Each structure stands twice: as C-alpha cells, then as structure tokens.
C-alpha cells in the first residue's frame, strides 16, 4: 500500500478517535479541496472559522507545527491563519493512491504572549477525473480451444485508472462480433476486471483467429477511456479441461507468518490421460508482480506458500488467479481465484514525535522554555502513532521525570507538554523527561523516549553582596590611590543578566564635599581605592554606598554600605594653650615669700590626635628641678620650698616640655622665666606634691635603713678622712708627684671631723636632688650660721671628672683658708669637687659656700667598702633642645653654669620628668 493511503487511513482513524475522546484541548476544523487546484488557492481562514464557532476572539500568530511544516503542500498565513495550496500543488493519487478517501491532517498552533490554542486541521483532498484508464499492454494475446463450450471465460489483463470512485473504470466495451462478449467483474480490492466470454462454439478450420478492440471507460464527466487490442487464437480441441473443486478460495494468514508457510494446496483434476491429463499450475496474468514476489506456486504440486514477509499495515488483502493447464496438444486451462486475507498482529511498537514550540528542530530532542513562563505554558506537541490496528494500534502516553511538567491529551493520540509549576533556571537549569508510549496489544509494545527541556534565563535575580555592610580600618595620611577594600556581588543569571558593574552613589560627606572625591570604585572588579589622603582628625568615619547592577533589561540593582574607619596616627604635636605664650615663651611671677607647695601656674596643652596619641605628659626639660616641681599628668607647676634668701634679684629660667603618647612621641616646649617679685597674690593656691615613682617603691622600714646607711657610711668616711688628714700634716703645703691621693685624704680629714657631723633623720624617702643626708657647718668666717633645713643642694655645683677621684689640689679646696681670701668673682668660678661612690651617694664640696652634702639615690642597701670613683656623663642634645637652651640662656641674666649633679647608674626606675632617653637627671644650679 502506498504512503498516501497510510496517511489517509491515519487521518480517518484520528478523526474517529478524537470524536470518541472527551475533553480534547485542540480545536478541530475540517476543509476540503480538489486536487490539481492552482497554487495559492485559498482553502479557508482559521480566524473566521474559530470566531464563528466559539464567539471568542482567537489568538494571533498562527504557525504550522512540525513535522508537517512543508509549505509546498499547504501554507498558513501567520496573521489570520489563512490556508492555501502550496507552490507544488496537491496530487491526490500521489498522496493517497487508490484510497477512496484522502484526508491530509496537520496541526496549527495559535500563539498570543504566553497563551496558545491548538487547532487540528483535516483537509479532504477530493478526486477529479484527471487520469484515463490504461491497459498494461496495448496488445493482449489469447488462446482458446475450438472445443471450448459456450460460456467459457477468458480473463483479460486488468486496466488501471489512478482515479477513484466514479472517476475510476466503470465499464468495458468490445468491438462487435458474433463469437465473443465482454463482462466486468468487481474485485476484492475495489477495482474491476474484464473477462472475455465465449458466446458460441468455435471452428478453427473456419476461422483460426479473431482480432477484437477492447475499450475501458471511467465514470467521470467528461468520461475518459483506454483501448487495447485482443488477439484470440483458436487452438485444436482437447476433450477435457482441468477443473478445480472450487472456483474461489479464501485464506487467512497472520502477518507474522514465517517464510515457507503453506497457504493452500490446490488440487485440480483432469480426466484425460497422458499429457492431456497432466496439470501444470501457474499464476494468471492478472496477478501483480508484487504478489508474485510474496507468494510461490509450485507448478507441479499446486502448493501455494509464503515466499516473502507480508505486512498488514501495508496491504491487508491479496487476490491471486491460479490457472491449471493440461499438457495436451491443445492445452485446456481452468482458473481458481485465491483470496489471501492478512490478520493483524501486534508487531509494531508505538512511535513518538515531539514538536517543540521554539528552540531546536523537532528531531533534536531539546525544547526551550523561559523560566518566567506561567503555569500551563505550552512547551511541545507530543504525537504518538502505531501502525497496527484495533487495540494493537491504540496508544497511551505517560510522562515521567519531574513534577514541573505535565502531559495533557490534545486529541486522539496527540498530547501537549505544558509546565506544571514555576521554573527557576538558577536552581534547575535543565530537565530530563521520559516519555513512555504503550499500545493495548497483547503483549503490549512500549517505546521510551528521552527528552530534554532547557530553561532559558530571565533577569530575575539582582546582584547580591557577600555582606550588607563592609567595615574596613585604614591608617590616615594614606597616599592617593591606596587600596582600601574590595566589595563582591554575585548574580546567578547568565550572560548580560549576570554581568555585574559597580558604581559609587553620590552622597555628601560631613565636610560638605561629595564622597566620590574621597574614594573611587572599579566598575568591574569592585576594588575601592582612596582618591586623596584621609585625615582622622577631620573625618574619622567615611561611609559610602556602593551599588551593583546587572546588564539585564530591566536592570536589577543592589546596594551595600562601606564603612572606612580612619585609624589615627601620631601626626599632630601637642600645643600649649595655657598659660598664653609669646613666641614660645612666657614669664610667670613668683612671690619671694611664697610657701612650699605654692601653685605657680597650671600648664594646659591640646593634641588633635586620638587615643594614646593624645595622652599628654608634662616635664621639665633638663630633669627634676630642685626649686619647682611639675606634675606629669596635670601640668601643675608648684614650688618645692621657699625661695632662699637673696633670690629676689635673678629670674629662674625653665623649659617645659609636653609629650604625647604616640610612637614615636611628638612634643612641644615652652621657655618659662620665673620672675621673683615682692608682690603677694590675692589668693594663694597650695598643691600637695605627690611623691615620684621611685619614692613610692616598697621597702623595709625606710628610716631605719637610712639611719643605718648613714651611720655606716659616715663611719667609713670618718676613718678614711682621719687617715688622709694624718698623712697630709706630714706633707708639704703643695702636692709632690706621686702624692695626689695622700693630699686628698688629708684635706678631707681636715674638713670632716667626727665632732662636726650632725646626723639628720629624714621623714620620708626623697630623690637624690632633694634629700640631703648630712649638713656640715661652714669652714669660713667665724660665727657663720649653719644652713637651715631649707638649704638644698641646689646651691652647690657638682662636677664629675670621670676618673674616679676628686681634684683636691684645686685652689678652691685648700683647707688652709687661703681660698677664702680670693675675690668673690674668682670664687664664683671655682670648680666643684665631688666625691662619688658606687653605692649611689655623693659628698660634694662647693668652695663658694664650703658645704658638703651627702645625697642618696637608693637608700635600700648598706654601703660596703666605699670606693672613690669619679663619673662623667655626656648628655646628647638635639638641635631643638639646643635652640631652646640657647634662647633661654641668651634672654636671661648672668647665670651660674649648669653642671651635672650625678648619673643614675644601676637604677631600676629612671627619673619621671626626663625628656631624653639617654640623659640622666639634669639639675640647674642658680
């Protein structure tokens, strides 16, 4: 059977099944047209027909579905669904062959935004009489015995007319004669055949051959006909002809019968003897060539067997004309008609055809659907087919794989694949579905088809920052272009929808300028850099907003906040704000009669830095001062004790330094001059002098330790002085070479006699600068008063030669009294002769006053064998300190030279008010 007939029968089956199925989703429209209509002939308009049926406005954008997308047969206009004949036209015979009804079925989908409407169109192609009957051969030879009885039938070759119905062959006509007539016989396949009928006996001797004209005519209007010439040869007589038991036999054959299967065992009989009774079997001339290939007839036995595979779906019935002929001189023949009917067997698996709405072609196995598609959105059309008939050809289809999609019946054996739930490409980008088609045969055949649905991306995700707020600490005074941080935003979309660009939102800073003047952000990497140096004092916190946007349409954005905490650096030196300074200096009045603890001034300073960088400490440049004390924390400058007599004429220069707590530390200084005055202030503020850190160190009973140390030290000194004095009496008045140590001992013994030592009990520990141990009476003029308890070592100058001995040969230390006869100017220039001991106490002699003092640094141990040793300390000075010293010294009156009191050697805690880390305690003598 031709493919056209299969299409027609499939179309009829679809129509019948769809009429039986309730709830079809597709609209069904029927049209008809005639074959051979000109290309472009309008068949119908779907828009008008659908609107007239339902009354609803149909959707737009009509599209022909796969696999019937060949516009050469039928074209569909997209705007209104107008159907017209394609450029090649429609030939019914080519499409449907000899089928009585030819139906061309196809599907059209109507789309509007996300809605669809499926239209099933059935186009009946009607036949026209465009083909004339035709005989296979223009000349038909026949033989007949002269002994043939009237009524004998001679089959003729079948005439062919591709048209069907009334346009096919309807009648045969034979030229006028007296011996033969013509009869038309219907065939099982719907055609007609002609047989030549003998009307009266023949006489070969009278006429040995007959030539007849045979005409086949169809029923068209106008009618068409075909002509052939029949030549009948009259043979010599044969008394008996073979005869079959039946003139027609019907055989049932399953389409799955194997080759060699026996269909029929023909048994014709001929009563003649010899060659006239021997029968030979063969197919008649009307058996088509295709049947001759499928069936085999044994010429001797008459066994009819299956020679090739038969297919019920291709052709269901075969008509075979079997002829039995004897071997006589004038052979006689008999004809038997064998009809072979095929029985359907479930030997075909269902077929699945998937036509996607968009994306890859129908055979690619991939469909695309947007992730923004709504529920029940059309994805693809699924068509099933089975070439079998009856239950063997009825197919049911099911979908497996995922609950996001569903399969709904459209009509007959067609289904619509739709979405059943919202889709999210970022969560599931691709779905692998399994379609299973199964027929109702026994046993059933099943077909499994894998199908992929890919979700196309939509811009439904905004960029997402890794954190809503980024906090970054950055040191101030950064260089322009310094890297600060990187913000990261991710977008799970694809392509331009997932490409993220960053930008800085314009906001005003606290200073009034835009944030974009402070920082910048790279639009591609999100790297944030500083445009200019940041200042913690001006703007300690910088907050900017950064927006990340994708490249989709419409564009989606997200924002994040970046907080830049500017970390302070020690970039601001302290500034003294009180008392007011003029060119970095100030003069403060100091009443001569001010008591100890009198508050001279309260220094105040400010530092623009923060934290430890702004923690300020106050100190006196040059170390602890014997006359005044400066509170390290509060900046209070107070008087240690009353001014000594005669101090009302000279000013006291000081250098106050203020340090911050940064690393490195920054400082500022102020040159201060204390001007003694007799004017009493209106109010006197007394402050309590707090002990220093060294004084607060825990120890044993300090007074006991001090007394023990003093007693032991004085005893040892007394012994040494007596020994030196006894040696000096025997020596000359001047030192001889090699007797330097003896001269020193003698002079010391004459100055320090046991009867002159007055022990002093100290009420509390004091520093070496303010705690005298022993006060000796003057060795000057008779009647001179012993210095009171207010006398301090500030009145004396101490110098260390660094050699471990004192300069006893100096004229200032002459015990004979000659030094007292020198002029005062000469006495003021005399050197200081110190005696230093390693155990941190010192005996100092100052020739202008001749008042030895024993100073203690750390009175927490007992002295052992004292050993004379002289130290010399070199204090480095920076250019800044040197300039301060020179400014102070140049602006004041003539002052005694500044000498080093002693070096703090071996102390665990250096002095509190020290400016230089390498300097020891510096005392200024007035």
């Amino acid at each position: 059977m031709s493919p056209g007939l299969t299409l027609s029968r499939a179309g009829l089956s679809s129509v019948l099944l769809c009429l039986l199925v309730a709830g079809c989703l597709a609209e069904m429209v029927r049209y008809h047209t005639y074959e051979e209509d000109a290309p472009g002939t309008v068949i119908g308009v779907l828009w008008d027909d659908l609107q007239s049926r339902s009354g609803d406005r149909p959707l737009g954008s009509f599209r022909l579905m796969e696999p019937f997308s060949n516009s050469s047969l039928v074209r569909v206009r997209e705007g209104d669904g107008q159907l017209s004949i394609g450029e090649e036209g429609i030939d019914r015979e080519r499409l449907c062959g000899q089928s009585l009804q030819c139906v061309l079925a196809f599907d059209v989908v109507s789309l509007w935004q996300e809605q669809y409407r499926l239209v099933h169109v059935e186009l009946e192609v009607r036949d026209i009489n465009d083909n004339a009957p035709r005989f296979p051969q223009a000349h038909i030879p026949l033989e007949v015995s002269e002994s043939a009885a009237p009524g004998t039938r001679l089959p003729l070759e079948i005439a062919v007319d591709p048209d069907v119905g009334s346009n096919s062959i309807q009648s045969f006509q034979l030229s006028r004669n007296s011996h033969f007539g013509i009869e038309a016989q219907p065939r099982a396949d719907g055609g007609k055949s002609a047989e030549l009928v003998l009307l009266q006996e023949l006489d070969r001797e009278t006429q040995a051959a007959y030539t007849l004209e045979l005409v086949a005519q169809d029923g068209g209007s106008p009618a068409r006909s075909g002509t052939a010439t029949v030549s009948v040869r009259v043979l010599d007589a044969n008394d008996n002809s073979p005869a079959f038991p039946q003139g027609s036999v019907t055989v049932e054959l399953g389409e799955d019968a194997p080759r060699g299967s026996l269909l029929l065992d023909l048994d014709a009989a001929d009563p003649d003897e010899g060659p006239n009774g021997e029968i030979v079997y063969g197919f008649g001339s009307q058996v088509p060539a295709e049947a001759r290939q499928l069936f085999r007839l044994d010429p001797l036995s008459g066994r009819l067997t299956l020679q090739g595979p038969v297919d019920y779906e291709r052709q269901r019935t075969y008509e075979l004309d079997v002829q039995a002929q004897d071997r006589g001189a004038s052979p006689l023949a008999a004809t038997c008609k064998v009809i072979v009917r095929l029985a359907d067997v479930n030997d075909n698996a269902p077929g699945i055809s998937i036509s996607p709405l968009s994306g890859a072609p129908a055979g690619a196995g991939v469909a695309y659907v947007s992730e923004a598609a709504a529920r029940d959105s059309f994805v693809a059309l699924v068509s099933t087919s089975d070439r079998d008939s009856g239950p063997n050809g009825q197919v049911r289809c099911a979908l497996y794989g995922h609950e996001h999609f569903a399969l709904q019946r459209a009509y007959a054996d067609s289904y619509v694949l739709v979405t059943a739930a919202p889709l999210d490409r970022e969560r599931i980008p691709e779905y692998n579905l399994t379609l299973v088609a199964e027929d109702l045969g026994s046993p059933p055949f099943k077909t499994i088809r894998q199908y992929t649905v890919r979700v196309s991306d939509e811009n439904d995700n905004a960029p997402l920052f890794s954190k809503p707020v980024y906090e970054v600490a950055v040191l101030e005074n950064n260089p322009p272009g310094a890297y600060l941080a990187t913000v990261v935003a991710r977008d799970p979309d694809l392509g331009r929808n997932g490409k993220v660009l960053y930008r800085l939102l314009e906001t005003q800073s606290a200073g009034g300028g835009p944030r974009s003047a402070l920082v910048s952000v790279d639009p591609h990497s999100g790297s944030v850099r500083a445009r200019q140096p940041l200042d913690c004092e001006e703007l300690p916190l910088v907050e900017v907003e950064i927006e990340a946007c994708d490249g989709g349409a419409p564009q989606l954005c997200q924002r994040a906040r970046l907080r830049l905490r500017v970390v302070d650096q020690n970039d601001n030196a302290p500034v003294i704000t009180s008392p007011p300074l003029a060119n970095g200096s100030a003069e403060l009045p100091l009443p001569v009669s001010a008591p100890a603890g009198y508050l001279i001034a309260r220094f105040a300073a400010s530092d623009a830095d923060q934290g430890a960088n702004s923690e300020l400490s106050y100190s006196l440049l040059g170390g602890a001062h014997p006359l005044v004390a400066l509170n390290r924390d509060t900046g209070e400058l107070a008087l240690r004790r009353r001014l000594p007599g005669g101090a009302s004429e000279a000013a006291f220069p000081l250098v106050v330094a203020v340090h911050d707590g940064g690393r490195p530390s920054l400082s500022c200084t102020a040159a201060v001059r204390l001007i003694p005055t007799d004017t009493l202030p209106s109010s006197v503020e007394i402050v309590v002098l707090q002990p220093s850190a060294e004084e607060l160190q825990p120890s044993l009973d300090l007074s006991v330790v001090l007394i023990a140390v003093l007693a032991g030290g004085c005893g040892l000194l007394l012994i040494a002085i007596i020994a030196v004095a006894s040696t000096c009496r025997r020596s000359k008045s001047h030192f001889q070479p090699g007797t330097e140590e003896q001269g020193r001992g003698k002079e010391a013994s004459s100055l320090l006699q046991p009867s002159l030592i007055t022990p002093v009990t100290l009420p509390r520990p004091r520093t070496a600068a303010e705690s005298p141990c022993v006060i000796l009476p003057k060795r000057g003029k008779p009647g001179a008063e012993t210095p009171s308890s207010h006398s301090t070592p500030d009145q004396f100058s101490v110098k260390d030669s660094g050699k471990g001995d004192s300069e006893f040969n100096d004229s200032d230390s002459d015990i004979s009294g000659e030094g007292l006869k020198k002029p005062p100017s000469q006495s003021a220039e005399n050197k200081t002769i110190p005696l230093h001991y390693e155990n941190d106490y010192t005996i100092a002699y100052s020739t202008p006053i001749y008042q030895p003092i024993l100073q203690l640094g750390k009175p927490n141990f007992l002295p052992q064998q004292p050993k004379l040793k002289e130290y010399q300390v070199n204090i480095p000075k920076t250019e800044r300190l040197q300039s301060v010293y020179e400014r102070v010294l140049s602006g004041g009156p003539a002052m005694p030279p500044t000498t080093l009191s002693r070096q703090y050697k071996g102390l665990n805690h250096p002095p509190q008010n020290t400016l230089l880390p390498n300097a020891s305690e510096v005392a200024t003598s007035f």
Side-chain angles (χ1 to χ4, degrees):
M1 184 176 291
S2 65
L5 182 57
T6 303
L7 177 61
S8 301
R9 292 179 177 178
L12 291 174
S13 177
S14 300
V15 173
L16 294 176
L17 288 176
C18 189
L19 292 176
L20 296 176
V21 175
C24 290
L25 294 181
E27 293 281 348
M28 186 170 284
V29 181
R30 293 181 177 86
Y31 298 100
H32 71 272
T33 186
Y34 290 94
E35 64 172 337
E36 304 299 337
D37 280 349
T41 302
V42 177
I43 301 172
V45 180
L46 293 177
W47 178 288
D48 299 334
D49 294 337
L50 294 178
Q51 187 174 15
S52 62
R53 285 188 176 190
S54 60
D56 297 335
R57 179 180 179 272
L59 302 177
S61 184
F62 292 87
R63 187 184 303 175
L64 195 64
M65 292 296 296
E66 294 283 351
F68 192 83
S69 62
N70 189 357
S71 61
S72 61
L73 296 177
V74 178
R75 291 182 297 184
V76 178
R77 192 159 63 186
E78 184 176 354
D80 56 359
Q82 175 184 293
L83 302 177
S84 61
I85 297 177
E87 56 187 11
E88 293 185 3
I90 298 178
D91 186 1
R92 193 204 64 82
E93 287 77 25
R94 184 168 59 86
L95 291 176
C96 301
Q98 294 294 317
S99 178
L100 293 178
Q101 188 175 11
C102 181
V103 177
L104 188 62
F106 53 90
D107 297 305
V108 177
V109 64
S110 176
L111 299 174
W112 181 256
Q113 294 181 353
E114 297 182 359
Q115 300 179 0
Y116 72 92
R117 192 172 186 177
L118 187 64
V119 182
H120 182 68
V121 181
E122 292 183 353
L123 178 62
E124 179 186 0
V125 181
R126 296 181 179 180
D127 183 51
I128 62 173
N129 192 19
D130 57 342
N131 293 282
R134 180 179 56 84
F135 288 95
Q137 296 180 6
H139 182 266
I140 303 174
L142 291 177
E143 292 180 348
V144 61
S145 176
E146 63 177 339
S147 61
T152 300
R153 296 177 179 272
L154 302 177
L156 300 174
E157 291 186 1
I158 299 176
V160 178
D161 191 340
D163 297 327
V164 295
S166 61
N167 295 325
S168 62
I169 299 174
Q170 299 295 322
S171 62
F172 296 91
Q173 296 178 2
L174 191 65
S175 60
R176 184 178 295 273
N177 67 90
S178 59
H179 288 82
F180 297 95
I182 191 74
E183 286 187 5
Q185 297 293 333
R187 294 177 56 84
D189 57 2
K192 289 185 178 182
S193 62
E195 293 180 342
L196 196 63
V197 180
L198 182 63
L199 297 178
Q200 59 182 2
E201 293 181 356
L202 300 175
D203 185 1
R204 188 187 63 83
E205 291 74 19
T206 303
Q207 189 174 352
Y210 295 88
T211 300
L212 307 173
E213 184 179 15
L214 180 63
V215 177
Q217 190 174 12
D218 60 24
S221 178
R224 293 174 177 265
S225 62
T227 304
T229 302
V230 181
S231 298
V232 180
R233 179 186 173 207
V234 181
L235 301 178
D236 193 15
N238 188 2
D239 295 337
N240 296 290
S241 61
F244 286 98
Q246 298 176 352
S248 177
V249 180
T250 301
V251 179
E252 294 285 342
L253 178 65
E255 63 172 335
D256 60 342
R259 294 182 179 182
S261 299
L262 178 63
L263 277 71
L264 186 64
D265 191 356
L266 297 173
D267 187 11
D270 190 339
D272 292 334
E273 293 182 355
N276 293 332
E278 295 178 0
I279 301 175
V280 178
Y281 299 91
F283 288 117
S285 60
Q286 296 180 348
V287 178
E290 182 181 359
R292 293 175 185 269
Q293 295 177 358
L294 294 177
F295 302 99
R296 180 178 182 276
L297 180 62
D298 188 276
L300 299 179
S301 64
R303 291 170 58 88
L304 182 63
T305 57
L306 182 64
Q307 183 173 278
V310 291
D311 189 357
Y312 174 84
E313 290 72 35
R314 184 176 182 181
Q315 187 170 346
R316 301 182 181 184
T317 304
Y318 294 91
E319 183 175 332
L320 307 177
D321 294 327
V322 179
Q323 189 177 38
Q325 186 176 3
D326 59 24
R327 294 176 180 259
S330 297
L332 299 177
T335 303
C336 178
K337 185 176 294 186
V338 179
I339 299 175
V340 180
R341 298 187 182 276
L342 299 181
D344 182 48
V345 178
N346 191 21
D347 59 344
N348 292 283
I352 300 177
S353 176
I354 304 177
S355 302
L357 179 62
S358 61
V366 178
Y368 291 87
V369 61
S370 173
E371 64 176 330
R375 186 184 179 93
D376 293 332
S377 295
F378 182 88
V379 179
L381 176 64
V382 180
S383 301
T384 60
S385 61
D386 197 320
R387 298 175 59 192
D388 296 324
S389 62
N392 297 332
Q394 296 179 8
V395 182
R396 55 190 177 187
C397 188
L399 174 66
Y400 301 94
H402 213 282
E403 64 276 5
H404 285 75
F405 297 89
L407 200 63
Q408 300 178 1
R409 185 182 290 273
Y411 63 90
D413 294 332
S414 295
Y415 300 83
V416 176
L417 180 63
V418 297
T419 58
L423 305 178
D424 187 0
R425 188 206 63 80
E426 287 71 33
R427 190 170 62 90
I428 304 178
E430 185 177 281
Y431 296 88
N432 294 318
L433 308 180
T434 302
L435 295 170
V436 179
E438 185 178 18
D439 60 26
L440 301 182
S442 180
F445 271 82
K446 182 184 297 184
T447 299
I448 300 176
R449 175 81 178 272
Q450 301 292 334
Y451 199 71
T452 300
V453 178
R454 293 175 182 169
V455 183
S456 58
D457 184 56
E458 295 289 340
N459 191 24
D460 56 345
N461 291 280
L464 181 62
F465 282 95
S466 58
K467 58 180 70 173
V469 178
Y470 293 83
E471 293 192 0
V472 179
V474 57
L475 288 175
E476 64 173 340
N477 303 321
N478 56 281
Y483 171 79
L484 301 179
T486 298
V487 295
V488 179
R490 306 293 184 188
D491 194 324
D493 293 327
L494 295 178
R496 295 181 58 86
N497 297 334
K499 185 177 181 180
V500 181
L501 294 178
Y502 304 89
R503 69 185 184 95
L504 192 65
L505 296 180
E506 284 293 342
T507 56
Q508 297 295 324
S509 62
R515 298 291 187 186
S516 58
L518 298 177
V519 296
S520 64
V521 60
D522 187 272
H524 300 285
S525 65
S527 175
V528 182
R529 296 184 178 274
R531 289 182 177 272
Q532 62 184 19
L534 301 178
D535 190 354
C536 177
E537 291 75 31
E538 180 181 350
L539 193 62
L541 178 63
V542 179
E543 290 193 11
V544 296
E545 272 193 315
I546 298 176
E547 186 176 56
C549 297
D550 57 27
Q555 193 178 58
L556 299 179
C557 300
Q558 185 65 271
R559 296 181 180 182
R561 185 175 295 274
L562 175 62
R563 293 178 181 171
L564 299 176
R565 300 190 179 276
V566 184
V567 179
D568 182 58
Q569 285 186 320
N570 193 21
D571 58 345
N572 292 280
V575 176
I576 298 177
T577 58
S578 179
L581 302 180
N583 296 327
S585 61
E587 293 184 355
L588 301 178
L590 178 60
V592 176
S593 59
Y598 171 73
L599 181 62
I600 303 173
R602 183 177 285 108
F603 285 87
S606 62
D607 195 320
D609 294 324
Q610 298 177 357
N613 297 329
S614 63
E615 295 178 358
L616 304 180
S617 61
Y618 303 84
S619 63
L620 292 177
L621 198 62
H625 196 279
L627 184 62
V628 295
L630 182 62
N631 191 298
R632 175 185 178 86
D633 301 319
T634 63
E636 295 176 342
L637 182 65
L639 193 64
R640 289 182 180 271
R641 56 185 57 85
R642 290 180 178 274
L643 294 178
S648 60
E649 297 179 357
F652 302 98
L654 300 175
V655 179
V656 177
V658 182
H659 294 262
D660 58 23
R663 293 186 179 181
S665 177
L666 299 180
S667 63
C668 67
T669 58
V672 180
R673 298 180 63 197
L674 302 181
I675 307 299
T677 178
D678 295 332
T679 305
L680 294 176
S682 59
S683 61
V684 177
E685 185 176 354
I686 304 298
V687 297
V688 178
L689 298 178
Q690 299 294 334
S692 62
E694 292 181 354
E695 296 171 342
L696 295 176
Q697 289 183 353
S699 61
L700 299 175
D701 191 348
L702 191 57
S703 60
V704 175
V705 173
L706 288 175
I707 294 174
V709 171
L710 292 175
C714 292
L716 293 175
L717 290 174
L718 184 59
I719 295 174
I721 292 171
I722 294 173
V724 172
S726 61
T727 304
C728 290
R729 289 192 185 98
R730 294 190 297 270
S731 64
K732 297 181 180 180
S733 58
H734 60 276
F735 290 103
Q736 299 295 331
T739 61
E740 181 179 2
E741 294 295 334
Q742 295 177 0
R744 292 178 181 176
K746 180 179 180 181
E747 183 177 358
S749 62
S750 63
L751 289 174
L752 300 177
Q753 297 180 6
S755 60
L756 298 178
I757 295 176
T758 303
V760 179
T761 302
L762 300 179
R764 62 179 177 85
R766 298 186 180 182
T767 62
E770 64 180 12
S771 300
C773 178
V774 178
I775 302 175
L776 299 180
K778 294 182 180 180
R779 297 296 299 272
K781 299 178 181 180
E785 296 181 358
T786 303
S788 64
S789 61
H790 295 287
S791 301
T792 65
D794 302 288
Q795 297 170 331
F796 312 107
S797 176
V798 181
K799 180 180 179 183
D800 194 344
S801 64
K803 298 180 181 179
D805 55 0
S806 301
E807 299 177 359
F808 278 80
N809 56 349
D810 197 308
S811 61
D812 293 340
S813 57
D814 187 7
I815 60 175
S816 61
E818 295 177 359
L820 298 177
K821 299 178 182 180
K822 295 181 180 180
S825 60
Q826 184 179 359
S827 299
E829 297 177 356
N830 289 338
K831 298 181 180 180
T832 302
I833 304 172
L835 289 179
H836 289 282
Y837 291 86
E838 290 183 347
N839 292 331
D840 287 3
Y841 59 88
T842 304
I843 297 178
Y845 302 93
S846 182
T847 52
I849 306 178
Y850 293 96
Q851 198 171 24
I853 297 177
L854 180 63
Q855 297 181 349
L856 296 181
K858 292 175 61 178
N860 55 357
F861 58 89
L862 294 176
Q864 301 298 328
Q865 297 286 333
K867 183 178 179 181
L868 287 173
K869 190 173 183 180
E870 185 176 358
Y871 296 86
Q872 183 173 0
V873 179
N874 297 323
I875 302 176
K877 294 183 180 181
T878 63
E879 296 180 358
R880 183 176 178 182
L881 294 180
Q882 183 67 27
S883 63
V884 173
Y885 273 111
E886 293 174 357
R887 185 172 66 252
V888 174
L889 296 178
S890 63
M895 300 170 58
T898 302
T899 59
L900 177 66
S901 173
R902 66 185 180 88
Q903 179 182 8
Y904 286 90
K905 178 182 178 182
L907 296 182
N908 294 328
H909 300 282
Q912 296 296 323
N913 296 329
T914 58
L915 179 61
L916 301 176
N918 296 328
S920 299
E921 181 181 356
V922 178
T924 305
S925 300
F926 299 99

